[in-house]
Amino acid sequence: MSYKDVMTDLKNNQLSHIYLFHGTEFYLVDHAIGGIKNKLIDDGFLDLNYQVIDGKDTTVDQIINACETLPFMGEARLVIIKDLECFAGKRKNISEDEEKRLIEYLSNIASTTYVLFTVTEGLDKRKKIVKDIGKYGKLIAFDKMDGTDLSKWIAKSFGKYGKKISEKDILGFIEVSGYLEKSSNKNLKDLENEIKKISDYMGDQTVVSRKEIELLAPKTIENNIFSLVESIGEKNSEKALLMLSDMLLEGEPEIRILFMITRQFRLLYQIKLMESQGYTPMAMGPKLGLQQFVIKKYLKQALNFDKNTLQKALYKCLETDHDIKKGKIPPRLGMELLISEFATYIK
């Protein structure tokens, strides 16, 4: 189940007495907890009927005692337990017997108690306690938003500041932010901060454009590498070398830049092969771990290269990596020669 299911439970007044929230989108976790807290607990009695427990520094007795405490001047008590280690396969403070006792208690929890476990990382879904919570309550995954949900959230977030943004520029914002990049640890809170920064900069202007997005949103190394490879494909080695210089000035190591350039050419080569085999962008996405709009962007870039060129580029990247690591050539010089030679491969 997902974040949407919790919102549906809230809307329909059908909250489960037991939830286990897990995933990386902490912004949504906090939003869901806030909604549940507002629904169940009167602000005047928050200190008495709402309790947060650090799961790394607690016992099963403390958890059960907190859940057994009757609500004061209210109908419900909400207990949050954060990062209980036994959910991740560890048992530093919870023995196997205690875990069994907790499971037994949860199977017959007090009708006035709502208990919510949160796990930020390492949830082991194979564990009995996790499966039993799914039996007695609900497991909710808080993964990154994508697709229409993400676009709507961005539009709504800009709308809070009186700004409008087109679907095209929403995709541009997502791309520049790097939120959906496979290696990205950005969350919605980071996007919200960028949205506020852009909105504040715009002043009375109401329509967000690509200009403000590119000016103010921080560019990830993935976006910089994409632009660098784009310049290579356009035979503009001077621009590509300037971009390399800028990345080095920003503190990016040569080896990391080389790794990312190699990754980019590998993706282009894979996409080129899959396209020749009849794959659609929708079919390519899951196989390559990329969003569909990213695939379309790469397909456009791939028009600058044929398969033989991409093979040569990959070989040259590996050769340069070997020479740098063996000390045959200084890293920066190796990168500059690599980029300069790339231009000679492009037809």
Side-chain angles (χ1 to χ4, degrees), residues 160-178:
K160 288 192 298 186
Y161 298 100
K163 311 301 179 187
K164 296 179 181 179
I165 183 169
S166 68
E167 184 64 30
K168 179 181 178 182
D169 286 324
I170 286 175
L171 293 178
F173 176 73
I174 295 170
E175 176 189 334
V176 171
S177 73

Side-chain angles (χ1 to χ4, degrees), residues 255 258 318-331:
I255 289 297
L258 177 56
L318 294 173
E319 184 181 40
T320 301
D321 180 69
H322 177 270
D323 289 347
I324 290 174
K325 288 178 178 176
K326 292 294 183 181
K328 293 182 179 180
I329 192 169

Side-chain angles (χ1 to χ4, degrees), residues 127-164:
K127 293 210 63 179
K128 187 177 189 307
I129 189 168
V130 177
K131 292 178 180 178
D132 283 340
I133 286 178
K135 187 192 305 181
Y136 305 133
K138 294 182 178 180
L139 305 180
I140 308 293
F142 286 81
D143 299 321
K144 286 193 174 188
M145 277 189 174
D146 59 11
T148 304
D149 289 336
L150 180 58
S151 294
K152 286 181 178 178
W153 183 88
I154 291 171
K156 184 177 179 180
S157 296
F158 272 112
K160 288 192 298 186
Y161 298 100
K163 311 301 179 187
K164 296 179 181 179

Side-chain angles (χ1 to χ4, degrees), residues 120-298:
T120 53
E121 58 181 82
L123 179 72
D124 187 347
K125 293 183 180 180
R126 299 168 299 178
K127 293 210 63 179
K128 187 177 189 307
I129 189 168
V130 177
K131 292 178 180 178
D132 283 340
I133 286 178
K135 187 192 305 181
Y136 305 133
K138 294 182 178 180
L139 305 180
I140 308 293
F142 286 81
D143 299 321
K144 286 193 174 188
M145 277 189 174
D146 59 11
T148 304
D149 289 336
L150 180 58
S151 294
K152 286 181 178 178
W153 183 88
I154 291 171
K156 184 177 179 180
S157 296
F158 272 112
K160 288 192 298 186
Y161 298 100
K163 311 301 179 187
K164 296 179 181 179
I165 183 169
S166 68
E167 184 64 30
K168 179 181 178 182
D169 286 324
I170 286 175
L171 293 178
F173 176 73
I174 295 170
E175 176 189 334
V176 171
S177 73
Y179 173 77
L180 289 177
E181 294 288 348
K182 201 170 184 180
S183 60
S184 173
N185 59 3
K186 285 195 173 184
N187 58 34
L188 293 179
K189 186 65 178 176
D190 296 313
L191 294 194
E192 185 180 57
N193 290 337
E194 296 308 319
I195 288 169
K196 183 179 186 305
K197 184 169 68 175
I198 291 170
S199 300
D200 288 345
Y201 173 83
M202 289 173 61
D204 294 334
Q205 182 183 335
T206 58
V207 180
V208 182
S209 72
R210 183 81 182 197
K211 177 184 174 183
E212 287 83 29
I213 292 169
E214 293 187 344
L215 180 65
L216 295 170
K219 294 178 175 61
T220 64
I221 185 171
E222 287 85 357
N223 285 317
N224 286 330
I225 294 298
F226 185 90
S227 299
L228 189 151
V229 172
E230 186 82 5
S231 299
I232 291 170
E234 295 168 352
K235 297 187 178 181
N236 192 342
S237 57
E238 184 178 345
K239 182 179 178 182
L241 288 168
L242 183 60
M243 295 187 69
L244 170 67
S245 179
D246 287 343
M247 281 189 277
L248 293 174
L249 285 173
E250 290 171 4
E252 289 290 350
E254 289 90 345
I255 289 297
R256 175 162 162 76
I257 295 172
L258 177 56
F259 169 80
M260 295 300 294
I261 290 174
T262 307
R263 174 181 176 274
Q264 181 80 1
F265 278 120
R266 187 184 300 114
L267 280 170
L268 291 173
Y269 183 65
Q270 289 174 312
I271 285 171
K272 202 84 172 175
L273 285 176
M274 294 174 79
E275 185 183 32
S276 68
Q277 294 168 4
Y279 282 87
T280 63
M282 186 176 293
M284 291 180 193
K287 291 186 175 295
L288 297 176
L290 297 172
Q291 298 292 317
Q292 190 175 342
F293 79 91
V294 178
I295 294 288
K296 289 179 178 178
K297 184 177 73 167
Y298 283 176

